[in-house]
Amino acid sequence: MSATAIPVVRRPVWRRLIGFNMLTGLVLGIAGWFLGAWVGGQIAVGHDYLLGTDQNDVGAFVGYLFAVIGWLVGLGFANYPIGRLLGRPPTLRHHELGGWTRYFRLCTDHKVVGIQYLFGVGIFFFIGGLNAMLMRTELLRPIEKAWPSGQYLTLVGLHGTMMIMMTSAFILGPFGNYFVPLMIGARRMAFPRVEALTFWLTPAAGLILMSAIAFGGLPFGWTGYAPLAVEGRGGVDAYVTAFILIAISLTLVGLNLLVTIVTMRAPGMTWTRLPIFVWGVLATSVLMALAAPVLVATMTMVLMDRAANTSYFLASAGGSPYLYENLFWFFGHPEVYILALPGFGIVLEILPVFTRKPLWGYRLAVAGMVGVMLLSFMVWQHHLFVSGMNAGLRPFYMLTTELISIPTGFIFLNAMGTLWRAQIRFTVPMLFALAFFFNFLIGGLSGVFLSDVPSDVTTHGSYFVMAHFHYTIMGGLVFAFFGAVYYWLPKMLGVVLNETLAKIHFWLMFVFFNLTFMPLFAAGFLGMPRRVSAYAPHLQVLNDFVSVSAFVLGFSMLVFLANLVWSLVFARIPAAENPWASRGLEWQVPTPVPVENFERIPVIRSGPYEYGVPNAPAVADFTPAALPAAGS
Amino acid sequence: MTTAASAQIPRHGIRIVLIWLVLTAIAAPLIVFVLGPHLPPGNMTSEAGSQRDANVLLTALLVPIALLVVTFFVYSFVVFRNRTGGIVDGPPLFGDAGVQLLWIVLTGAIVLALAVWGSYTLIVSSHGAGGGQGPSPVDQPKGHEHALPVQVIAQQWEWTFRYPTYGGFESRDLAIPDNTLVAFHVTSLDITHSFWAYELGVKADAVPGVDDIAYVNARHTGFFQIRCAELCGLWHAHMAKKGRVLSLPAFQAWIKAAKQKNAVVQKYLAPYSDVYFPAPLRRAG
């Protein structure tokens, strides 16, 4: 089907507002929750009485299940299978939908899903950030003042889950979905309907997670250790359901991207010409597809312990808390690389563009990412060095953990080689990419303390750990995310972001990020445990300093929001098609990107990073003479 | 590539290394001699001492590595920045097998050395370094058969301590003798906690149904902080206490007094056991 053959059906706005969209999904979802809670209550009459709880967990879980089904049906996910059953012809909905309302409904265009993801995970990121601000307000004083400890723990739990679970697809969601087909020369993802499903599960999970506030909150951080999770109040049901939904979504995202990258590359897009960001996405996809299902199993066990009175994790009835810790971290450690690897891909994608040099040591970068991917499955027990489990295996996990710094070091060597004798332009995306390396350097090196068992006995479970992973996730992933936002937004949204505001955002964020988290290494060394609402009085000066820095860090995000709103709504300066003079394939298509991306599938002629190579051929031939203009 | 340009290459490298050497020469002694003695968790026990040694060595090793990378980056920003304002291509360098091999060998050597050294200190020189080793410890110090057992019982949200060799009485205060090998037997009545005696350099998860053993040998008397290092619900932050390291005679006197003081509750106590399973599990916060 060629680009000209797509019939664009424009229906009136009122017709687009009712029908299968977010609103219908919300209405059916809420109705489904009430129906499900009633049905569940009928299935397990007296569950709350028998278990001595204040809530019927069976009712809660069936309620959430019906709510999700209602939400998906309301969005129109049932239309296609039902239509096929009735013998109607297959359709891809993006062919018939145009205009802004497609962002609020089921749409199988990978570019629409990318932008849906961008704003979706962005909203969760800001909610998580707000939670952090509220936590730092509490920590201005050494004893509970702003929040009672139960509400403080709910804030901790929501901050952690919002930041780690809801934003697991922080980069693969927006930029993976949007740019991977563009970068490999494809017209769509391998499974467009699955792609839409992965996004629309995310807001469902987010809303369910936030419903925890109404049902007694979360007594734990993002890790949800059982048996604490089993004894926790109704909020835990929300946490479990949300995590299952997200894990399903992550698995599908991973499989979808994996299949897309392996099977849908344009002719000439060999593995060694694949942009390094796509390699990062590929490595992450493998992690998602292999690690996230373990989480579904783990959370289902917690669900069974709570709703069906099994005892997977209750030692008094023959279960083991270690089972949870093992299963959770078997997912949890690959998960932190799910957060880190796309960041590696983005910064290495940005560096060659603004140094005007090829990516130095391309194959080493690929080896680094694949190495991190493989090793990340072999290190999970370093979270459990003092748990009393497998003490004899501690040297092994110490070794595997430290081995990860070798492939991670490759990424640094790539960056240093690319900077060597370069023509560096300090644009905003470049600033974020360079800050990534500074932050990740500190994050990575502080991780060595945690991998060494004698040192870990001091630092385990303290603020040192907390500072360490904020340096890798916030300093790494979030800086890479903003680098990608400033780099790719001109292509995604078609507008130029204000550069002055962007630089203010960068410098505030970089300086106050370090002022916030650097002192927390000291707090951990001085004996402050994680996730506490009260602490030793002599640590107050340190904590006050951190809180004030954190508030300015939060303010820097408002600068970004102001910039986004100003540039997108008011200024609306149209962006050039290739403002950075990049060789990337995604920059060679028009802005806004046509629905079918490429009129004909391009033939790739050379690698994406051949800057400065004399007589380097153009990156691709967009009007190949003798190739079929097939549908994909 | 002109000869003038290629003559420039080694000079950049030498300059970066020289700057780095100067910075390291300043930083390393500062870390070892000025910062080092203050690094946690101090020197109250031999286990704490071994952790501090690890922290000093790692800091002294990792700061120069960080300095090398930062020096390289900052040098590049200054020297290799685009001065023209326009878009100028740099030299098309795709990689250098020698440099890459050197990097792999160097990082590999550092990592392997760290792993070997870490395993050596864990197993041979510090015998578990004060970390919880579970019910059958593998890294046992000499004379561990004669270690003084002290049971640490965690529950939401309180620590209690039992002394099995003194009749298994239970106390809300913790005291241990100095220059004596003590074996903490950490367990929990409800959910997972973590026993963290900061100055002692002891951290061991309190897991229901598990007898988690950690050894410590105090070098001198004094107070130490007890914290819970694993989130355990509503009053996690308030599972804090002060423990004491006493001289042996003072410890004997304390035992006698504490035994007397707690005698009234002795008959309500469960008999001493490695693990306890009070039922049922409550639904609380």
Side-chain angles (χ1 to χ4, degrees), chain A residues 53 356 424 455 458 460 525, chain B residues 51 55 82 90 198 203 283:
Chain A
T53 67
R356 300 303 296 179
I424 303 173
S455 184
T458 312
H460 172 87
F525 261 170
Chain B
Q51 291 168 31
N55 286 332
N82 180 349
Y198 175 71
K203 198 175 276 157
R283 284 279 175 98

Side-chain angles (χ1 to χ4, degrees), chain A residues 75-99:
Chain A
L75 278 162
F77 276 95
N79 297 4
Y80 174 75
I82 290 175
R84 293 294 279 160
L85 283 174
L86 296 176
R88 295 199 189 118
T91 56
L92 277 178
R93 286 189 69 95
H94 69 73
H95 291 172
E96 55 190 50
L97 292 170

